[in-house]
Amino acid sequence: MTGRWVEAEFEAIFREHYGRIVRVIRRVLQRDSEAEEVCAEVFLRLYRTGPSVAADGLVGAWLYRTATRASIDALRANRRRGAESEGEGALENEDPSEGPLTLLLRQERIAEVRDVLAKLKVDKGQLLLLHHSGLTYQEIAQAMQVNVHSVGTKLARAEAEFSALYERHRRRQRKTQQLQTAKEGQ
Amino acid sequence: MKHADTGTLRAYLDGQLDPAKHAAIEHLKSCAVCEGELKTLRDYAARVRDGLDRLPELASADNSAMAWAAFQNKREDWMEEHQSQWSLGRRLSLAGAALATIAVVLVLTVAPVRAWAESLLGIFRVERFTVLEIDPSALKGNALQNNQFLNQTISRVLSDEVTVTQKPQEPQVVADAATASKAAGFQVQLLPGETPSSMLVRTGGGVQLKLNRDRIQSILDEAGRSDLQVPASVDGATVGVRVPAGVLAFYGNCGDLAARAAGHVPTSGAKLKQAPDATCISLTELPSPVVSAPQEIDPAQIAQVALQFLGMSANDAASFTQTVDWTSTLVLPVVRGKSTYEQVHVNGNDAALVRPVNGAESARFSLMWVDNGIIFNLNGTGDDTTAINLASQLQ
């Protein structure tokens, strides 16, 4: 560990960034509780790393990088365990006005997106999440520790790959549904 | 002119193009090839946005205060684990034995304080204990708040002063009271008519520490309490602590608590995968730890320093010290505002009934008493009468 945190400073950082960071993580993970747990882990890692991270004013970038990585890792681990495949939607926020069929469809789409995120290379997934969270190219470059001039290219590649996987996924899904309908029709 | 590269086009879409690449924008306006690629990129970007937009946000509103409190707990767990050499506190701690429940309840919230409280206050043989209410505001602004730093100092100062004389072994799962009694070396008492869902024997342990006044003083100094002076008599003294084997019994549905106690589940992470429910009762029995120290050491004098370290004024510490027989009393610090406690009786022995203040948790009790040299700690859910009745039935 390098140096020590001043408790008040650490708390200020925690309070300033927690909301943003937990929201990014929650998009990736299915349960609020798991997102909060992973987020706490991220801050614990920051604590253990020491205040040198904050010294150059890049603590936000560090948190975003670590959080997106940790959440994708957790998503992949869940997928490996098959933890999320069952009852995927049961834990998603439910809108009472939503009919059961709409809800089911929405949950399927969510699962698809997460599947794609889990399949992408981690740094590509991170990049997409950071961009989607509204970070500027400069901020993304700091978070991912890459040259700011390469962000556009990397982003374009990640988006192309995401699109391809997503489309493939959707096609397969549609096929399965058609087969299902045909079977039921017989 | 050369066509714009993909990165430039993508940045252009986001309005993030480097102004130095202005010429590229001019080119775009009149280039069908670039226009085509731009459209493809726009489609990809839209698909990604459409996908990620579907992912739900956090349901709860911003609750950074709660998150901060939860984080602090997690951090404390982590610290406790990394305070490896100085695990005397944990060994000695009945709290350690009764695990998570009591950790919530017994409120020895500040890890280094715990090391102090239990190594320095829990002296000699425990025949009784007393509850010391700590005012958390007295700790505010005190360097005690900076746990990590103090922990490091304490472990650094103590690590080369501590010799493990008896290394604790892995806890051992036992089938019944007779086996438990045999393994632990004392007559184990259980709830009549109930079969424990799990029972463990934790082996004993022992350490010796050679006290070095200057080094202990340096802990106080680093904690910003140079005003407190460690008595000269401690210098060079060797203090031995022996914690006998103890027994832990779980009843009802205790989730992963028993597995965690047995060391099968890592203690890291604040949450248990399977949380205990209201039927869970845990019972710890531990014969009094024994502390041996040279005659010259006056425990009351050390206690006074430790109490001030915990935030008591010098006067209060002096008068509290007088009310306690330090050779036979274990002092349980309870932080005001986090736990409530009341003095009750179990089979004629003084007992402390501690509950978390926190609404949802407040149905949980932790009852602690000393009977015939054995320290008992019973944790469960229910009202005061339930707690005392259960405790009185042990046989």
Side-chain angles (χ1 to χ4, degrees):
Chain A
M1 174 141 28
T2 49
R4 307 168 183 135
W5 284 104
V6 173
E7 183 71 355
E9 275 171 24
F10 187 82
E11 184 178 348
I13 288 173
F14 184 96
R15 288 181 186 267
E16 184 189 341
H17 295 278
Y18 180 81
R20 267 195 299 267
I21 298 296
V22 79
R23 271 198 293 277
V24 181
I25 299 176
R26 174 59 176 90
R27 281 189 180 273
V28 181
L29 298 173
Q30 192 187 10
R31 296 171 177 80
D32 281 357
S33 59
E34 189 182 12
E36 284 159 356
E37 186 78 24
V38 169
C39 192
E41 284 288 348
V42 168
F43 278 96
L44 187 59
R45 215 175 292 169
L46 175 67
Y47 188 80
R48 281 153 51 180
T49 308
S52 54
V53 180
D56 43 13
L58 292 179
V59 71
W62 188 97
L63 282 168
Y64 269 117
R65 176 173 67 252
T66 313
T68 45
R69 165 120 224 164
S71 54
I72 293 174
D73 284 348
L75 173 71
R76 288 175 153 193
N78 289 344
R79 284 288 191 272
R80 273 197 302 278
R81 285 200 306 267
E84 299 211 348
S85 50
E86 294 166 37
E88 158 85 25
L91 296 141
E92 297 297 357
N93 313 330
E94 289 182 19
D95 176 357
S97 64
E98 207 169 33
L101 191 64
T102 332
L103 179 70
L104 195 71
L105 280 174
R106 184 165 72 89
Q107 287 168 350
E108 260 174 26
R109 298 295 288 274
I110 293 171
E112 280 166 21
V113 177
R114 292 210 175 107
D115 269 340
V116 172
L117 265 184
K119 278 183 191 137
L120 280 179
K121 275 185 79 178
V122 177
D123 58 341
K124 287 186 174 149
Q126 285 180 280
L127 193 66
L128 296 180
L129 286 168
L130 296 175
H131 180 254
H132 185 258
S133 302
L135 268 65
T136 63
Y137 281 24
Q138 182 67 41
E139 289 164 334
I140 293 174
Q142 285 169 348
M144 299 298 295
Q145 295 176 314
V146 296
N147 187 315
V148 65
H149 298 301
S150 71
V151 172
T153 315
K154 287 181 191 298
L155 183 62
R157 271 191 214 135
E159 285 173 339
E161 200 169 315
F162 181 98
S163 296
L165 282 170
Y166 193 44
E167 272 309 296
R168 203 181 305 158
H169 219 282
R170 306 239 53 215
R171 269 203 303 274
R172 204 180 307 146
Q173 205 75 18
R174 275 196 293 269
K175 211 178 239 174
T176 320
Q177 274 165 7
Q178 279 164 1
L179 278 174
Q180 194 90 19
T181 325
K183 226 183 236 172
E184 280 165 10
Q186 278 173 2
Chain B
M1 176 180 171
K2 219 173 69 175
H3 295 306
D5 64 73
T6 310
T8 304
L9 292 171
R10 186 63 192 84
Y12 172 73
L13 276 182
D14 273 336
Q16 301 259 343
L17 192 61
D18 188 339
K21 298 201 171 170
H22 198 73
I25 301 174
E26 289 305 313
H27 166 79
L28 284 180
K29 287 179 184 161
S30 57
C31 174
V33 177
C34 289
E35 185 54 45
E37 193 178 349
L38 207 54
K39 186 185 173 304
T40 311
L41 292 177
R42 198 179 282 128
D43 287 348
Y44 288 158
R47 207 165 293 155
V48 172
R49 194 170 44 248
D50 171 68
L52 295 184
D53 276 347
R54 288 172 192 277
L55 300 178
E57 296 238 73
L58 194 69
S60 50
D62 185 24
N63 52 0
S64 75
M66 265 172 65
W68 173 244
F71 170 77
Q72 284 177 305
N73 285 337
K74 196 181 179 75
R75 185 175 58 180
E76 208 139 291
D77 282 353
W78 170 75
M79 280 174 173
E80 213 171 287
E81 251 175 72
H82 285 73
Q83 222 184 343
S84 51
Q85 284 111 334
W86 188 236
S87 61
L88 166 67
R90 194 186 289 184
R91 289 279 131 218
L92 217 169
S93 150
L94 334 157
L99 298 170
T101 2
I102 203 166
V104 177
V105 173
L106 271 192
V107 209
L108 309 169
T109 39
V110 190
V113 173
R114 186 178 324 181
W116 264 94
E118 287 173 354
S119 63
L120 297 181
L121 303 188
I123 285 185
F124 304 122
R125 196 178 275 280
V126 181
E127 286 163 17
R128 63 186 71 84
F129 63 92
T130 186
V131 173
L132 167 66
E133 200 171 35
I134 297 172
D135 181 0
S137 64
L139 299 174
K140 284 260 162 65
N142 184 321
L144 270 184
Q145 293 287 315
N146 197 343
N147 281 353
Q148 167 218 347
F149 145 48
L150 256 185
N151 267 339
Q152 280 181 337
T153 315
I154 291 181
S155 29
R156 194 176 63 233
V157 166
L158 294 175
S159 59
D160 36 307
E161 311 284 340
V162 176
T163 322
V164 177
T165 51
Q166 187 192 347
K167 203 164 172 255
Q169 309 294 315
E170 288 278 295
Q172 185 192 334
V173 178
V174 288
D176 52 38
T179 323
S181 301
K182 200 169 165 220
F186 66 97
Q187 191 58 46
V188 173
Q189 300 186 36
L190 294 174
L191 292 173
E194 303 269 354
T195 312
S197 46
S198 171
M199 191 154 45
L200 300 169
V201 173
R202 312 188 113 208
T203 65
V207 291
Q208 254 187 7
L209 50 147
K210 194 162 191 292
L211 302 179
N212 176 324
R213 184 183 175 279
D214 289 348
R215 298 190 125 200
I216 299 174
Q217 186 66 49
S218 74
I219 301 178
L220 295 176
D221 294 346
E222 284 215 40
R225 294 302 304 265
S226 310
D227 55 314
L228 302 176
Q229 294 296 311
V230 179
S233 58
V234 306
D235 198 30
T238 300
V239 176
V241 182
R242 199 173 57 76
V243 185
V247 170
L248 256 151
F250 295 93
Y251 296 89
N253 176 16
C254 292
D256 287 340
L257 220 51
R260 188 187 270 200
H264 298 155
V265 178
T267 49
S268 68
K271 283 174 194 157
L272 289 165
K273 286 242 157 27
Q274 305 252 322
D277 65 21
T279 63
C280 173
I281 294 172
S282 70
L283 171 69
T284 304
E285 297 172 36
L286 179 74
S288 165
V290 180
V291 178
S292 56
Q295 287 288 325
E296 307 83 74
I297 290 195
D298 177 5
Q301 212 178 2
I302 297 172
Q304 267 196 49
V305 175
L307 292 171
Q308 291 179 64
F309 192 70
L310 289 172
M312 252 193 193
S313 75
N315 279 343
D316 288 351
S319 53
F320 181 82
T321 308
Q322 282 172 6
T323 65
V324 174
D325 173 5
W326 293 97
T327 61
S328 61
T329 308
L330 175 74
V331 174
L332 291 179
V334 170
V335 174
R336 192 177 302 152
K338 286 211 167 185
S339 302
T340 57
Y341 80 93
E342 66 189 292
Q343 201 87 35
V344 294
H345 292 278
V346 172
N347 296 334
N349 300 296
D350 282 342
L353 185 64
V354 185
R355 286 179 192 278
V357 167
N358 177 349
E361 304 274 298
S362 62
R364 300 234 301 266
F365 63 81
S366 179
L367 182 62
M368 188 170 214
W369 71 101
V370 181
D371 191 354
N372 230 345
I374 312 271
I375 301 167
F376 288 86
N377 176 235
L378 182 72
N379 297 280
T381 305
D383 59 19
D384 294 3
T385 322
T386 312
I388 297 165
N389 281 347
L390 270 176
S392 321
Q393 283 170 27
L394 288 182
Q395 50 182 253

